[in-house]
Amino acid sequence: SGTPWRVIMRYAAPIIISYFLQQIYILTDAVICGQVLTASEVAGVNDTFPLTFIFLQFAFGCTAGFSVITAKCVGGRDIKGVRRSFICQTYLSLAISAFLTVVSVLMLPWLLGIINVTPDNKEVYDAAYIYCLIIFIGIAAQMGYNFICGVLRAYGDSVSPLVFLVISTVLNVGLDILFLTVFGMGPGGAAFATVLAQFL
């Protein structure tokens, strides 16, 4: 209710801010990795961006599509439909997460070959492989985060997902510093920090 453009802007503003925060999320990863890891390890982590982007954005697209159905039921005050769509989304998210995880992990050596990351340069390859492997194993965390945010946005709440993202971004920075500088976990530590921050 209210003036349409104001309602739309109130709803859209937190989503727009979320996209900027996601860029900061990626940038802080790169900055911390650049300060701690070797040049070859940084190259390996940076080279994997197209691969992780494809799988994670596919997961994001699925959950965004699911929330459209929920939003339609919420708008139509169809409580039974909302519950049915929520349960269906849960099963689909679990199934898609499992499918994407298995496919991405099995295809990882081949995918790295496509972007010319090969065992010929062992340090770069090892960094890229371990980073991607952990990110792909953690696809369920990314899918779960997007699923919950999608349901909240379907109810018209675009602020809570932004709060979750702020918390996740701060956690990611803190865990990156902990895993890379204190524990010296290397590229795997950077990936584990990202997955753990999203899961939490």
Side-chain angles (χ1 to χ4, degrees):
S1 62
T3 308
W5 72 267
R6 286 182 179 165
V7 173
I8 292 168
M9 283 307 297
R10 270 200 310 271
Y11 179 79
I15 297 173
I16 294 167
I17 294 167
S18 294
Y19 286 118
F20 284 114
L21 265 179
Q22 283 173 336
Q23 298 312 307
I24 293 170
Y25 204 102
I26 295 165
L27 186 62
T28 52
D29 253 4
V31 169
I32 295 168
C33 285
Q35 297 300 313
V36 178
L37 304 179
T38 66
S40 295
E41 287 174 331
V42 171
V45 170
N46 288 342
D47 287 346
T48 63
F49 178 74
L51 303 183
T52 56
F53 181 83
I54 288 168
F55 285 95
L56 295 181
Q57 288 304 306
F58 181 81
F60 174 76
C62 290
T63 52
F66 297 160
S67 66
V68 172
I69 305 299
T70 306
K72 183 181 176 185
C73 295
V74 170
R77 291 179 169 76
D78 178 6
I79 302 302
K80 188 177 178 183
V82 170
R83 289 177 179 161
R84 193 166 57 243
S85 73
F86 182 82
I87 295 299
C88 189
Q89 283 184 66
T90 303
Y91 288 138
L92 283 171
S93 293
L94 290 170
I96 291 169
S97 295
F99 175 76
L100 288 177
T101 300
V102 170
V103 168
S104 60
V105 168
L106 291 177
M107 293 178 64
L108 183 52
W110 179 74
L111 290 167
L112 288 171
I114 287 177
I115 60 171
N116 294 319
V117 176
T118 63
D120 295 339
N121 190 331
K122 190 173 185 318
E123 194 174 6
V124 173
Y125 181 83
D126 287 349
Y129 185 88
I130 193 68
Y131 184 83
C132 270
L133 182 66
I134 293 170
I135 292 292
F136 289 156
I137 289 171
I139 283 176
Q142 174 80 22
M143 194 94 177
Y145 167 81
N146 289 328
F147 164 57
I148 292 166
C149 290
V151 170
L152 288 168
R153 288 178 183 137
Y155 271 94
D157 179 5
S158 60
V159 175
S160 294
L162 175 59
V163 172
F164 294 159
L165 184 59
V166 169
I167 294 168
S168 182
T169 302
V170 171
L171 271 173
N172 186 51
V173 172
L175 291 171
D176 264 344
I177 293 168
L178 178 67
F179 293 158
L180 294 176
T181 61
V182 178
F183 296 153
M185 292 170 64
F192 187 56
T194 299
V195 170
L196 187 58
Q198 289 168 346
F199 177 76
L200 291 172

